[in-house]
Amino acid sequence: ECPALAIDMKLDTKEQSIIKLQNAINSAKNISLKMEIPVHILFATGDFEYKKANDLYSAQSLIPNTYFKSLNGNGGIGYHNSDFSFIASALLYSSNYGVPGGFVGAHPKGTDIKLERNTQTVKSLVHTHSFIDNVIVSFNRTYYHHAEFEKSGAVGAEFLVKNYFGNINFNLDKFSFFNEMVVGVSGEFTDQKYGGYVFTPNSRLSNFSAYSYQSFEIGKHSIELSSRFVHSFVDPQDETKYSKNPPRDRVFNCFSFSILVMHYINKKTSLGLNFSRSERPPTVEELYSNGPHLAAYSYEIGNRDLEPELGYSAELSANYNTDGLNLSISLYDNEFFNYIFPTNTGKLNYSQLLPIYQISNTKARIIGGSIKFTYEFIENFSTNFMASYLRGYNLTEHKNLPTMPPLKGKLELSYSKTNFFATLATDFTTYQRLIGDFESVTPG
């Protein structure tokens, strides 16, 4: 039986331990509250959390302007019975924090950042008890505001985003050889505005998409199919005030699909093969940026003539699972006919001493793999190993792709019992020599 009102203000043991470790390097406070109120077929839920931390201490001294304060909460009310469900909810998040200075360019004296994000969502589900099992309709509005204040009080960068998104999904009942089938449509409108030293034009984005998903089984094979078509329109505002490389309206039509085949050798072992086509329109920043990106300590120049990013990928995976052993391995190959990325030009913007990055496109290949291994070798003792590797090729210029991580992984040894747990872990990264133009090698 659920209690009529349940309030939980306790943190679990692991989170308490983490907070105590954090308190060793700063003074912090954390308060959280959660409640659930079911009343017959009606219900209400809500949670609230407040965090505050003062400037960090290093082994040598105080690090100024590293404070942090956040407030977040959400609540919802709903109705549920066998034929109809409805929920209306709202989420609020606000945060103030400092970024220390000392870097050449960007924020030499540090900066203070304030951001706010709130979302309102309405969602309903109707059971039709027909060929269409149920229909899900949802709509949400998201507001996001981000401002960076220099020590002089001036606004260094400002972003304001208003997003409206709605979709309708039709979940079809099992028929013929299909176990599950979903078709749907969605619409989205986004108004993006920029201020301070951000020289991306205010823009409005509209897109419409239609999508589908099917799954079925043939013998020991499970097959999943999905597809998506997106029509996108980008409308930059105040084009006439840009004398050099003015932005222009862009229209994109993108189609993506995926096919997954799983072969079950037995109850413990399976093999998977996934093949997909992925196409996405370039972002507003990739199209129209022409100024400093202070968070990345770079000066970025967009490309208004970019075409959608297009690539094909194949992934082979193997899985083995028993009560005490879980092993998964995957290998993949991504072939891009048009890969969009920022490339370092080797030039410097002397007004702010920032390296200039140009948004570019190229034919590219990204290959790699990953492994995950968990084994309980003695009761209550287990080991967990994870590793992944990427290799990026710029096929047009016969170079390495920039910003590719080297081989990296994590090894853990854990002991857990009802009221006690302990973990010993190490992260590792290998030496990275396969770097792009104007990049520096990184040690392991």
Side-chain angles (χ1 to χ4, degrees), residues 168-184:
I168 179 168
N169 289 347
F170 299 90
N171 298 284
L172 308 184
D173 201 2
K174 182 176 180 180
F175 70 100
S176 184
F177 56 87
F178 288 108
N179 294 329
E180 184 179 4
M181 186 171 182
V182 180
V183 295

Side-chain angles (χ1 to χ4, degrees), residues 264-421:
Y264 295 93
I265 300 173
N266 50 47
K267 293 183 178 180
K268 300 178 181 179
T269 310
S270 63
L271 297 175
L273 178 62
N274 178 266
F275 178 77
S276 64
R277 179 188 197 268
S278 177
E279 189 174 19
R280 72 165 181 90
T283 65
V284 168
E285 291 76 16
E286 290 170 337
L287 289 168
Y288 308 129
S289 288
N290 191 10
H293 184 178
L294 301 183
Y297 302 105
S298 63
Y299 189 100
E300 295 184 357
I301 301 175
N303 181 353
R304 65 176 186 174
D305 299 319
L306 285 174
E307 293 301 319
E309 185 174 82
L310 172 63
Y312 290 84
S313 65
E315 180 177 357
L316 179 65
S317 60
N319 302 279
Y320 180 79
N321 298 300
T322 64
D323 291 338
L325 173 64
N326 297 289
L327 173 64
S328 62
I329 301 173
S330 65
L331 301 171
Y332 53 85
D333 179 7
N334 300 306
E335 300 288 333
F336 288 93
F337 291 87
N338 189 42
Y339 178 71
I340 300 174
F341 68 106
T343 181
N344 194 332
T345 63
K347 300 178 181 178
L348 196 67
N349 174 265
Y350 291 102
S351 63
Q352 291 189 299
L353 300 177
L354 294 173
I356 297 176
Y357 281 77
Q358 172 71 59
I359 304 298
S360 306
N361 58 327
T362 184
K363 288 185 177 181
R365 175 179 297 136
I366 300 177
I367 60 174
S370 65
I371 182 172
K372 185 175 182 180
F373 174 84
T374 302
Y375 178 52
E376 186 176 7
F377 53 93
I378 304 176
E379 185 179 4
N380 301 324
F381 283 92
S382 64
T383 182
N384 184 28
F385 174 75
M386 296 170 286
S388 63
Y389 177 73
L390 278 180
R391 179 76 167 92
Y393 301 89
N394 182 331
L395 298 179
T396 302
E397 301 180 32
H398 305 289
K399 300 177 180 178
N400 297 315
L401 282 179
T403 64
M404 289 288 115
L407 172 66
K408 59 182 180 179
K410 184 173 186 177
L411 177 63
E412 293 181 341
L413 178 63
S414 301
Y415 173 82
S416 62
K417 215 169 182 180
T418 305
N419 297 313
F420 179 79
F421 78 93

Side-chain angles (χ1 to χ4, degrees), residues 49-116:
E49 185 173 40
Y50 172 78
K51 294 180 180 180
K52 181 179 180 181
N54 296 327
D55 289 342
L56 295 170
Y57 281 90
S58 72
Q60 297 179 344
S61 63
L62 177 74
I63 307 174
N65 215 53
T66 52
Y67 68 92
F68 173 84
K69 182 171 68 175
S70 73
L71 175 68
N72 72 82
N74 68 78
I77 56 174
Y79 169 90
H80 173 72
N81 65 24
S82 59
D83 295 325
F84 178 74
S85 298
F86 171 84
I87 185 169
S89 62
L91 179 147
L92 171 66
Y93 176 81
S94 65
S95 176
N96 299 345
Y97 61 96
V99 176
F103 301 97
V104 176
H107 306 289
K109 296 183 179 180
T111 185
D112 298 290
I113 296 178
K114 294 184 179 181
L115 65 87
E116 177 187 353

Side-chain angles (χ1 to χ4, degrees), residues 170-208:
F170 299 90
N171 298 284
L172 308 184
D173 201 2
K174 182 176 180 180
F175 70 100
S176 184
F177 56 87
F178 288 108
N179 294 329
E180 184 179 4
M181 186 171 182
V182 180
V183 295
V185 294
S186 68
E188 185 175 15
F189 174 78
T190 305
D191 186 8
Q192 297 184 192
K193 295 182 179 180
Y194 304 86
Y197 295 99
V198 179
F199 298 97
T200 303
N202 297 337
S203 302
R204 294 173 179 172
L205 297 84
S206 305
N207 69 58
F208 167 83

Side-chain angles (χ1 to χ4, degrees), residues 11-146:
L11 300 171
D12 61 48
T13 307
K14 187 173 183 180
E15 189 173 355
Q16 286 179 343
S17 301
I18 293 172
I19 291 175
K20 287 179 180 179
L21 288 173
Q22 291 172 337
N23 290 345
I25 55 173
N26 65 9
S27 175
K29 298 176 182 178
N30 184 307
I31 301 173
S32 63
L33 169 69
K34 182 177 181 179
M35 67 176 183
E36 299 175 357
I37 310 175
V39 182
H40 301 296
I41 58 176
L42 301 175
F43 62 89
T45 64
D47 62 71
F48 164 87
E49 185 173 40
Y50 172 78
K51 294 180 180 180
K52 181 179 180 181
N54 296 327
D55 289 342
L56 295 170
Y57 281 90
S58 72
Q60 297 179 344
S61 63
L62 177 74
I63 307 174
N65 215 53
T66 52
Y67 68 92
F68 173 84
K69 182 171 68 175
S70 73
L71 175 68
N72 72 82
N74 68 78
I77 56 174
Y79 169 90
H80 173 72
N81 65 24
S82 59
D83 295 325
F84 178 74
S85 298
F86 171 84
I87 185 169
S89 62
L91 179 147
L92 171 66
Y93 176 81
S94 65
S95 176
N96 299 345
Y97 61 96
V99 176
F103 301 97
V104 176
H107 306 289
K109 296 183 179 180
T111 185
D112 298 290
I113 296 178
K114 294 184 179 181
L115 65 87
E116 177 187 353
R117 183 179 188 269
N118 62 70
T119 302
Q120 298 82 40
T121 302
V122 177
K123 188 174 183 178
S124 65
L125 182 149
V126 180
H127 285 281
T128 63
H129 303 288
S130 65
F131 169 69
I132 300 176
D133 179 55
N134 62 71
V135 180
I136 299 175
V137 181
S138 65
F139 174 81
N140 71 275
R141 171 193 178 272
T142 300
Y143 171 92
Y144 176 79
H145 184 221
H146 174 117

Side-chain angles (χ1 to χ4, degrees), residues 221-252:
H221 297 85
S222 173
I223 301 174
E224 299 180 20
L225 309 172
S226 62
S227 60
R228 185 181 190 90
F229 171 79
V230 178
H231 174 78
S232 181
F233 176 68
V234 186
D235 178 20
Q237 306 294 294
D238 303 322
E239 299 99 318
T240 56
K241 76 176 186 179
Y242 296 89
S243 58
K244 184 178 180 181
N245 195 31
R248 60 186 178 90
D249 295 353
R250 297 296 308 275
V251 177
F252 303 100

